[in-house]
Amino acid sequence: MTDSPAVQALLDPKEQPILDRVLAIRDKLSLLKQDKSTYIKSHDVLKHYDHLIEQVHLLNIVREEQDKSLEQNRVDNVLDDCFQLVSLFFLTIGRNNEAPAVYSMTSTIKRLLDHLKEAAFYSPKDLESASQALDSMQETLKRGKDSHSPHLLTLLGNRLGTCRNLLAELKLSLTDLSPELTPTYERLVSILRSISAANTRQKFPASEVQRFQDQLREIQATMINGKFLAEDSTTPAGQHVATELLNRCLAWSDIVLSREGRIDERFKATYDKLCDIRNQLEKLSITQAWSLRETDLYTYQRQLDRIDESRVNGNFEDSLGQRADLHAQRVGPAMVPCCVVD
């Protein structure tokens, strides 16, 4: 099993014993995850969870002594693996409303918000859904303040704070969007996502994408002198937000129709890997949902991590350091939210 994310700093010798113990915990959690011969028992999960919290406490002591509280190295990478597994185990044993279960949920929300920011198009409904999820997690932490380690609660609180900061940043870009223009904007978001989804089909649906483009032309035809009007013929606020998105939709539909689903060969391996992850998850959700354990999703999470981390400053690059064209750059990230597991 590889660590995630990529190592960022050399390991302090004082942290080596902690790393050794955390690696052992991860191995035991991995074995527990792979054992399908019996049901997961709460006792086994809590035992590993308690051992993990002990190591977090020891790590905090070492780093406080050396004023390295923000250090990120291999210990943190392996701890992340462990907490992801423990979190998924808590979901598996039905303890969804306890603090440890929040860890993997914050990872899912963070990934979705990151990709919404990168895609630079999303609806108020998307952000409201994320906000409600974060509020629910915050309540879970409040309920767990007397029953779970303060070290874990601090860690989870910081992760929630990171998500809330990102959410606030996304909301800021939609502050100018008026209620009158919101339905049009949300329709444009829906069309753009539909075009992107059609673009990843095994057989490119040219007629379907053309219909989406026709819908965009119809929306464009409602504009008067380049502006959207309200029912009372006034000009609602947020024109630039809706107009920019309309232009993006039209440009993207042209690119998709011209490429007809063909991916740059330099990046086809990555694209095929994303397709495979998506297809496997869809198959699991349809045919094996009754027997699916939340911990079964861990492998897919880590595969997505590997793909995300392979990008350079958010861009896919080939072996020579050349960036992918706009089509490949957008197709890859557009598929990641479809593969995100929770």
Side-chain angles (χ1 to χ4, degrees):
M1 182 185 296
T2 57
D3 300 335
S4 176
V7 176
Q8 298 177 3
L10 295 175
L11 185 66
D12 188 301
K14 291 186 177 180
E15 296 185 13
Q16 185 63 51
I18 298 173
L19 174 61
D20 294 339
R21 289 189 289 268
V22 173
L23 284 168
I25 294 172
R26 187 178 69 175
D27 289 342
K28 292 175 183 177
L29 289 169
S30 298
L31 289 173
L32 186 61
K33 176 179 74 72
Q34 295 166 14
D35 184 5
K36 301 297 181 67
S37 63
T38 183
Y39 290 109
I40 301 294
K41 298 181 179 64
S42 295
H43 168 74
D44 293 330
V45 175
L46 293 175
K47 176 180 63 178
H48 295 311
Y49 166 66
D50 289 339
H51 292 165
L52 190 61
I53 293 300
E54 289 175 11
Q55 301 313 307
V56 172
H57 178 57
L58 293 174
L59 181 65
N60 288 341
I61 292 175
V62 170
R63 291 184 176 175
E64 286 173 3
E65 289 176 349
Q66 302 188 35
D67 194 24
K68 293 184 177 180
S69 60
L70 299 181
E71 180 79 38
Q72 288 288 312
N73 57 36
R74 193 183 176 206
V75 179
D76 300 272
N77 302 337
V78 181
L79 276 173
D80 180 67
D81 283 340
C82 291
F83 274 118
Q84 290 286 357
L85 282 167
V86 165
S87 182
L88 291 170
F89 273 124
F90 265 74
L91 295 173
T92 298
I93 62 178
R95 302 177 72 157
N96 305 41
N97 296 319
E98 295 191 33
V102 169
Y103 193 96
S104 64
M105 297 178 191
T106 59
S107 297
T108 299
I109 294 294
K110 176 65 163 54
R111 187 188 298 278
L112 287 171
L113 293 175
D114 281 339
H115 283 282
L116 287 179
K117 179 180 178 180
E118 181 179 345
F121 71 92
Y122 40 84
S123 71
K125 291 180 180 178
D126 295 328
L127 304 187
E128 179 58 30
S129 177
S131 181
Q132 291 175 359
L134 292 174
D135 288 343
S136 176
M137 293 180 212
Q138 192 70 56
E139 287 301 314
T140 298
L141 295 193
K142 288 181 181 179
R143 289 195 300 269
K145 66 180 181 179
D146 296 325
S147 55
H148 289 283
S149 164
H151 304 294
L152 174 68
L153 296 177
T154 298
L155 173 65
L156 294 174
N158 290 339
R159 289 170 70 87
L160 283 179
T162 298
C163 290
R164 288 195 182 280
N165 289 340
L166 184 52
L167 180 62
E169 184 180 344
L170 296 178
K171 285 182 176 180
L172 185 62
S173 68
L174 294 183
T175 53
D176 293 336
L177 187 65
S178 63
E180 294 85 356
L181 267 184
T182 297
T184 298
Y185 183 87
E186 291 182 337
R187 187 182 175 196
L188 289 171
V189 169
S190 177
I191 292 173
L192 185 51
R193 286 177 176 163
S194 297
I195 293 173
S196 295
N199 188 46
T200 63
R201 302 262 184 86
Q202 188 171 7
K203 183 179 180 181
F204 181 70
S207 59
E208 183 178 338
V209 176
Q210 186 60 61
R211 286 196 296 273
F212 288 132
Q213 189 177 70
D214 292 341
Q215 293 177 31
L216 294 172
R217 298 295 183 191
E218 291 172 3
I219 294 174
Q220 186 180 43
T222 66
M223 301 175 72
I224 304 297
N225 296 325
K227 296 184 180 298
F228 291 101
L229 300 183
E231 291 184 0
D232 60 0
S233 297
T234 58
T235 304
Q239 292 290 323
H240 66 286
V241 179
T243 302
E244 279 184 18
L245 183 55
L246 173 60
N247 291 335
R248 284 188 61 190
C249 289
L250 289 168
W252 182 232
S253 65
D254 284 338
I255 292 173
V256 169
L257 284 170
S258 67
R259 295 297 292 268
E260 297 181 330
R262 294 187 298 272
I263 303 296
D264 187 328
E265 285 296 326
R266 297 174 299 161
F267 305 97
K268 196 168 187 309
T270 299
Y271 171 78
D272 289 343
K273 188 177 296 184
L274 282 168
C275 285
D276 184 56
I277 294 173
R278 181 195 60 187
N279 294 340
Q280 289 186 52
L281 288 171
E282 288 178 349
K283 181 179 179 181
L284 284 172
S285 66
I286 294 172
T287 64
Q288 300 179 40
W290 62 275
S291 62
L292 183 67
R293 290 175 173 176
E294 281 78 0
T295 48
D296 295 335
L297 304 177
Y298 174 79
T299 300
Y300 298 108
Q301 287 181 332
R302 285 316 185 213
Q303 289 178 19
L304 291 172
D305 285 337
R306 300 280 81 75
I307 293 172
D308 252 352
E309 291 164 11
S310 71
R311 295 192 291 163
V312 180
N313 296 324
N315 298 303
F316 288 107
E317 293 186 355
D318 64 16
S319 58
L320 300 177
Q322 300 297 314
R323 289 186 179 182
D325 61 17
L326 182 60
H327 181 259
Q329 292 288 7
R330 286 189 177 178
V331 169
M335 287 189 65
V336 174
C338 300
C339 301
V340 170
V341 291
D342 56 19

